[in-house]
Amino acid sequence: MFFRAAWSLVRRKTGPGMRGTHGPGSAAHREGKMPPYTNYHAQRSYPMPDEPFCTELNAEQRALKEKEKGSWTQLSHAEKVALYRLQFHETFAEMNRRSNEWKTVMGCVFFFFGFTALMIWWQRVYVFPKKPITLTDEWKAQQLQRILDMKGNPVQGLASQWDYEKKEWKK
Amino acid sequence: MISSALTNPQMRGLLAKHLRFHIVGAFVISLGVAAFYKFAVAELRKKAYADFYRNYDSRKAFEEMRRAGIFQSAK
Protein backbone atom coordinates (compact mmCIF):
# COMPACT_ATOMS: atom_id res chain seq x y z
CA MET A 1 0.00 0.00 0.00
CA PHE A 2 2.84 2.39 0.75
CA PHE A 3 4.45 1.39 -2.52
CA ARG A 4 1.36 2.62 -4.30
CA ALA A 5 1.05 5.81 -2.28
CA ALA A 6 4.68 6.67 -2.98
CA TRP A 7 4.30 5.72 -6.63
CA SER A 8 1.21 7.88 -7.04
CA LEU A 9 3.08 10.80 -5.48
CA VAL A 10 5.89 10.31 -7.97
CA ARG A 11 3.39 10.17 -10.79
CA ARG A 12 1.69 13.30 -9.53
CA LYS A 13 4.83 15.37 -9.48
CA THR A 14 5.88 14.47 -12.99
CA GLY A 15 3.62 16.83 -14.89
CA PRO A 16 0.25 18.53 -15.01
CA GLY A 17 -2.74 16.84 -16.59
CA MET A 18 -1.85 13.23 -15.63
CA ARG A 19 -5.08 12.74 -13.70
CA GLY A 20 -6.58 10.14 -15.93
CA THR A 21 -8.74 8.53 -13.27
CA HIS A 22 -11.07 11.51 -12.73
CA GLY A 23 -14.39 11.48 -14.50
CA PRO A 24 -15.44 14.02 -17.06
CA GLY A 25 -17.17 17.15 -15.80
CA SER A 26 -15.11 17.41 -12.63
CA ALA A 27 -14.80 21.16 -12.67
CA ALA A 28 -12.22 21.30 -9.94
CA HIS A 29 -9.44 19.71 -12.01
CA ARG A 30 -10.40 20.64 -15.51
CA GLU A 31 -7.71 23.32 -15.70
CA GLY A 32 -4.98 20.75 -15.15
CA LYS A 33 -3.87 22.35 -11.89
CA MET A 34 -2.00 20.23 -9.41
CA PRO A 35 -3.47 20.28 -5.91
CA PRO A 36 -0.99 21.38 -3.28
CA TYR A 37 0.82 18.76 -1.31
CA THR A 38 -1.08 18.17 1.94
CA ASN A 39 -1.29 15.63 4.68
CA TYR A 40 -4.30 14.17 2.96
CA HIS A 41 -4.18 10.40 2.88
CA ALA A 42 -7.37 8.42 2.62
CA GLN A 43 -7.55 4.78 3.60
CA ARG A 44 -10.40 2.39 3.82
CA SER A 45 -9.93 2.31 7.58
CA TYR A 46 -9.90 6.12 7.88
CA PRO A 47 -12.41 7.24 5.28
CA MET A 48 -13.13 10.82 6.36
CA PRO A 49 -9.98 12.77 7.14
CA ASP A 50 -10.34 16.11 8.88
CA GLU A 51 -8.90 18.28 6.14
CA PRO A 52 -10.46 18.46 2.70
CA PHE A 53 -8.40 17.42 -0.25
CA CYS A 54 -8.24 20.82 -1.96
CA THR A 55 -7.59 23.69 0.41
CA GLU A 56 -6.63 26.37 -2.13
CA LEU A 57 -9.75 27.18 -4.05
CA ASN A 58 -10.08 29.48 -7.01
CA ALA A 59 -12.97 31.90 -7.32
CA GLU A 60 -15.24 29.44 -9.06
CA GLN A 61 -14.70 26.84 -6.38
CA ARG A 62 -15.21 29.39 -3.62
CA ALA A 63 -18.51 30.37 -5.15
CA LEU A 64 -19.48 26.73 -5.19
CA LYS A 65 -18.63 26.39 -1.53
CA GLU A 66 -20.86 29.36 -0.77
CA LYS A 67 -23.67 27.72 -2.70
CA GLU A 68 -23.12 24.57 -0.69
CA LYS A 69 -24.10 26.43 2.46
CA GLY A 70 -27.62 26.81 1.11
CA SER A 71 -30.09 24.10 0.26
CA TRP A 72 -28.47 21.15 -1.42
CA THR A 73 -31.42 20.47 -3.64
CA GLN A 74 -30.34 23.48 -5.69
CA LEU A 75 -27.02 21.92 -6.59
CA SER A 76 -26.78 20.25 -9.95
CA HIS A 77 -25.28 16.81 -10.32
CA ALA A 78 -22.05 18.17 -11.75
CA GLU A 79 -21.73 20.58 -8.85
CA LYS A 80 -22.18 17.81 -6.32
CA VAL A 81 -19.49 15.80 -8.03
CA ALA A 82 -17.23 18.87 -8.04
CA LEU A 83 -17.80 19.35 -4.31
CA TYR A 84 -17.00 15.70 -3.71
CA ARG A 85 -13.80 16.01 -5.65
CA LEU A 86 -12.85 19.06 -3.62
CA GLN A 87 -13.38 17.20 -0.39
CA PHE A 88 -12.00 13.82 -1.31
CA HIS A 89 -9.15 12.73 -3.50
CA GLU A 90 -10.59 9.43 -4.76
CA THR A 91 -13.83 7.57 -4.51
CA PHE A 92 -13.88 4.29 -2.68
CA ALA A 93 -13.88 2.43 -5.94
CA GLU A 94 -10.80 4.28 -7.10
CA MET A 95 -9.07 3.99 -3.74
CA ASN A 96 -9.60 0.26 -3.54
CA ARG A 97 -8.53 -0.55 -7.05
CA ARG A 98 -6.27 -3.53 -7.28
CA SER A 99 -2.74 -3.29 -8.52
CA ASN A 100 0.06 -5.45 -9.81
CA GLU A 101 2.23 -4.82 -6.79
CA TRP A 102 2.05 -8.44 -5.72
CA LYS A 103 3.99 -9.50 -8.80
CA THR A 104 6.85 -7.20 -7.84
CA VAL A 105 6.81 -8.47 -4.30
CA MET A 106 6.82 -12.13 -5.28
CA GLY A 107 9.52 -11.48 -7.84
CA CYS A 108 11.78 -9.88 -5.26
CA VAL A 109 11.10 -12.67 -2.78
CA PHE A 110 12.05 -15.36 -5.27
CA PHE A 111 15.07 -13.42 -6.40
CA PHE A 112 16.40 -13.30 -2.87
CA PHE A 113 15.64 -16.98 -2.38
CA GLY A 114 17.86 -17.71 -5.35
CA PHE A 115 20.57 -15.35 -4.18
CA THR A 116 20.58 -16.99 -0.76
CA ALA A 117 20.83 -20.39 -2.40
CA LEU A 118 23.89 -19.29 -4.34
CA MET A 119 25.50 -17.93 -1.18
CA ILE A 120 24.92 -21.17 0.72
CA TRP A 121 26.27 -23.22 -2.17
CA TRP A 122 29.47 -21.18 -2.18
CA GLN A 123 29.75 -21.64 1.58
CA ARG A 124 29.28 -25.36 1.21
CA VAL A 125 32.21 -25.53 -1.18
CA TYR A 126 34.62 -23.14 0.54
CA VAL A 127 33.63 -22.68 4.19
CA PHE A 128 32.00 -25.74 5.76
CA PRO A 129 34.28 -28.13 7.71
CA LYS A 130 34.51 -31.87 7.12
CA LYS A 131 31.51 -34.00 8.14
CA PRO A 132 31.82 -35.76 11.51
CA ILE A 133 32.33 -39.52 11.48
CA THR A 134 28.76 -40.18 12.62
CA LEU A 135 27.40 -38.79 9.37
CA THR A 136 29.36 -41.05 7.04
CA ASP A 137 27.43 -43.72 5.20
CA GLU A 138 29.06 -46.68 6.95
CA TRP A 139 28.31 -45.34 10.37
CA LYS A 140 24.71 -44.54 9.43
CA ALA A 141 24.20 -48.06 8.07
CA GLN A 142 25.51 -49.60 11.28
CA GLN A 143 23.26 -47.28 13.29
CA LEU A 144 20.21 -48.35 11.30
CA GLN A 145 21.08 -52.02 11.72
CA ARG A 146 21.31 -51.58 15.47
CA ILE A 147 17.88 -49.88 15.63
CA LEU A 148 16.35 -52.74 13.62
CA ASP A 149 17.98 -55.30 15.91
CA MET A 150 16.44 -53.54 18.90
CA LYS A 151 13.09 -53.58 17.08
CA GLY A 152 12.55 -49.86 17.59
CA ASN A 153 8.89 -48.83 17.13
CA PRO A 154 7.75 -52.28 16.01
CA VAL A 155 4.00 -51.50 15.89
CA GLN A 156 3.68 -48.62 13.42
CA GLY A 157 7.19 -47.19 13.12
CA LEU A 158 10.54 -48.08 11.65
CA ALA A 159 10.88 -51.75 12.60
CA SER A 160 7.35 -52.47 11.41
CA GLN A 161 8.46 -51.67 7.85
CA TRP A 162 11.36 -54.17 7.95
CA ASP A 163 10.87 -57.76 6.91
CA TYR A 164 12.97 -59.81 9.37
CA GLU A 165 12.78 -63.08 7.38
CA LYS A 166 13.84 -61.72 4.05
CA LYS A 167 16.11 -59.06 5.56
CA GLU A 168 14.77 -56.22 3.44
CA TRP A 169 12.19 -53.44 3.60
CA LYS A 170 8.59 -54.48 3.28
CA LYS A 171 6.92 -53.58 0.03
CA MET B 1 -30.51 10.86 -7.80
CA ILE B 2 -28.54 7.73 -8.58
CA SER B 3 -30.22 5.26 -6.22
CA SER B 4 -33.50 5.34 -8.09
CA ALA B 5 -31.94 3.24 -10.84
CA LEU B 6 -30.09 0.70 -8.63
CA THR B 7 -31.26 -1.42 -5.71
CA ASN B 8 -29.66 -0.75 -2.35
CA PRO B 9 -27.06 -3.15 -1.06
CA GLN B 10 -27.80 -4.93 2.19
CA MET B 11 -27.83 -2.26 4.86
CA ARG B 12 -28.66 -4.13 8.06
CA GLY B 13 -27.92 -7.34 9.83
CA LEU B 14 -24.42 -7.62 8.39
CA LEU B 15 -22.82 -8.79 11.62
CA ALA B 16 -25.60 -11.28 12.28
CA LYS B 17 -25.25 -12.74 8.82
CA HIS B 18 -21.48 -12.92 9.15
CA LEU B 19 -21.69 -14.59 12.56
CA ARG B 20 -24.26 -17.15 11.47
CA PHE B 21 -22.24 -18.16 8.47
CA HIS B 22 -19.01 -18.48 10.37
CA ILE B 23 -20.38 -20.12 13.51
CA VAL B 24 -22.14 -22.81 11.51
CA GLY B 25 -19.04 -23.29 9.41
CA ALA B 26 -16.80 -23.49 12.45
CA PHE B 27 -18.98 -26.17 14.02
CA VAL B 28 -19.14 -28.21 10.89
CA ILE B 29 -15.45 -28.02 10.19
CA SER B 30 -14.30 -28.76 13.70
CA LEU B 31 -16.69 -31.68 14.12
CA GLY B 32 -15.62 -32.99 10.76
CA VAL B 33 -11.96 -32.76 11.59
CA ALA B 34 -12.50 -34.43 14.97
CA ALA B 35 -14.48 -37.27 13.40
CA PHE B 36 -11.88 -37.74 10.71
CA TYR B 37 -9.10 -37.87 13.28
CA LYS B 38 -10.97 -40.37 15.41
CA PHE B 39 -11.48 -42.81 12.57
CA ALA B 40 -8.41 -42.30 10.48
CA VAL B 41 -5.83 -41.98 13.25
CA ALA B 42 -7.07 -43.05 16.68
CA GLU B 43 -9.04 -46.17 15.76
CA LEU B 44 -6.40 -47.22 13.26
CA ARG B 45 -3.68 -46.96 15.86
CA LYS B 46 -5.67 -48.91 18.44
CA LYS B 47 -6.24 -51.66 15.92
CA ALA B 48 -2.56 -51.75 14.97
CA TYR B 49 -1.51 -52.18 18.58
CA ALA B 50 -4.16 -54.83 19.23
CA ASP B 51 -3.05 -56.82 16.18
CA PHE B 52 0.59 -56.56 17.13
CA TYR B 53 0.18 -57.80 20.66
CA ARG B 54 -2.43 -60.50 19.99
CA ASN B 55 0.14 -63.14 19.09
CA TYR B 56 3.26 -61.50 20.46
CA ASP B 57 5.89 -63.80 21.96
CA SER B 58 8.15 -61.66 24.08
CA ARG B 59 10.55 -64.54 24.83
CA LYS B 60 11.18 -65.10 21.14
CA ALA B 61 11.72 -61.39 20.55
CA PHE B 62 14.16 -61.25 23.43
CA GLU B 63 16.13 -64.23 22.06
CA GLU B 64 16.37 -62.56 18.65
CA MET B 65 17.63 -59.34 20.16
CA ARG B 66 20.15 -61.20 22.34
CA ARG B 67 21.48 -63.08 19.35
CA ALA B 68 21.88 -59.80 17.46
CA GLY B 69 24.20 -58.66 20.23
CA ILE B 70 22.62 -55.45 21.44
CA PHE B 71 22.53 -56.29 25.15
CA GLN B 72 25.40 -55.70 27.52
CA SER B 73 24.09 -57.87 30.34
CA ALA B 74 22.86 -60.87 28.32
CA LYS B 75 25.21 -62.13 25.65
Side-chain angles (χ1 to χ4, degrees):
Chain A
M1 184 201 71
F2 296 109
F3 234 51
R4 260 174 50 189
W7 184 243
S8 67
L9 277 176
V10 169
R11 273 194 303 121
R12 230 194 277 170
K13 285 192 194 296
T14 55
M18 287 193 70
R19 314 299 305 263
T21 53
H22 285 284
S26 52
H29 298 285
R30 200 43 95 82
E31 301 93 325
K33 251 192 338 205
M34 296 317 285
Y37 185 86
T38 60
N39 298 338
Y40 189 90
H41 177 58
Q43 313 155 284
R44 220 159 63 190
S45 54
Y46 188 52
M48 318 255 281
D50 303 324
E51 301 168 4
F53 179 53
C54 291
T55 42
E56 292 175 19
L57 305 173
N58 62 14
E60 188 188 330
Q61 291 165 341
R62 271 196 296 262
L64 191 57
K65 278 294 196 187
E66 287 301 316
K67 193 172 173 192
E68 191 194 8
K69 292 178 184 170
S71 171
W72 287 343
T73 50
Q74 289 168 352
L75 295 170
S76 73
H77 181 62
E79 284 171 340
K80 287 182 194 170
V81 171
L83 283 168
Y84 182 92
R85 289 292 176 190
L86 284 179
Q87 186 73 19
F88 301 107
H89 177 204
E90 288 173 316
T91 66
F92 266 68
E94 290 164 5
M95 188 202 309
N96 294 338
R97 70 185 175 275
R98 51 182 188 197
S99 74
N100 287 329
E101 185 185 354
W102 68 273
K103 296 178 191 171
T104 313
V105 171
M106 291 313 286
C108 291
V109 165
F110 292 143
F111 173 78
F112 280 109
F113 278 177
F115 181 68
T116 309
L118 287 173
M119 288 224 300
I120 293 178
W121 186 8
W122 183 87
Q123 288 172 349
R124 202 139 175 255
V125 170
Y126 288 107
V127 178
F128 286 3
K130 200 156 121 54
K131 265 199 222 173
I133 188 172
T134 48
L135 284 175
T136 55
D137 284 332
E138 303 87 37
W139 193 284
K140 288 204 286 192
Q142 288 171 353
Q143 205 161 14
L144 180 60
Q145 182 60 52
R146 199 177 148 78
I147 294 174
L148 291 173
D149 290 339
M150 284 194 270
K151 298 194 202 292
N153 294 326
V155 183
Q156 280 181 318
L158 188 64
S160 69
Q161 306 298 325
W162 180 257
D163 192 340
Y164 281 93
E165 275 92 50
K166 288 194 221 131
K167 305 254 191 267
E168 59 185 10
W169 293 109
K170 285 186 191 164
K171 297 292 176 285
Chain B
M1 287 184 65
I2 301 183
S3 58
S4 57
L6 302 168
T7 53
N8 269 1
Q10 180 169 11
M11 308 283 263
R12 288 157 187 256
L14 291 162
L15 178 65
K17 181 171 160 209
H18 181 272
L19 280 180
R20 200 179 101 130
F21 179 78
H22 283 83
I23 283 179
V24 167
F27 259 98
V28 167
I29 289 178
S30 49
L31 287 176
V33 168
F36 173 78
Y37 186 87
K38 181 177 163 65
F39 291 117
V41 178
E43 291 297 320
L44 204 71
R45 189 168 290 162
K46 283 195 253 184
K47 184 172 176 309
Y49 273 75
D51 292 341
F52 181 81
Y53 283 112
R54 192 168 295 124
N55 299 322
Y56 183 61
D57 187 0
S58 55
R59 282 251 164 239
K60 182 157 96 68
F62 169 73
E63 284 302 319
E64 283 171 10
M65 287 188 225
R66 188 179 61 81
R67 249 175 273 129
I70 59 163
F71 293 125
Q72 289 175 322
S73 42
K75 291 287 185 198

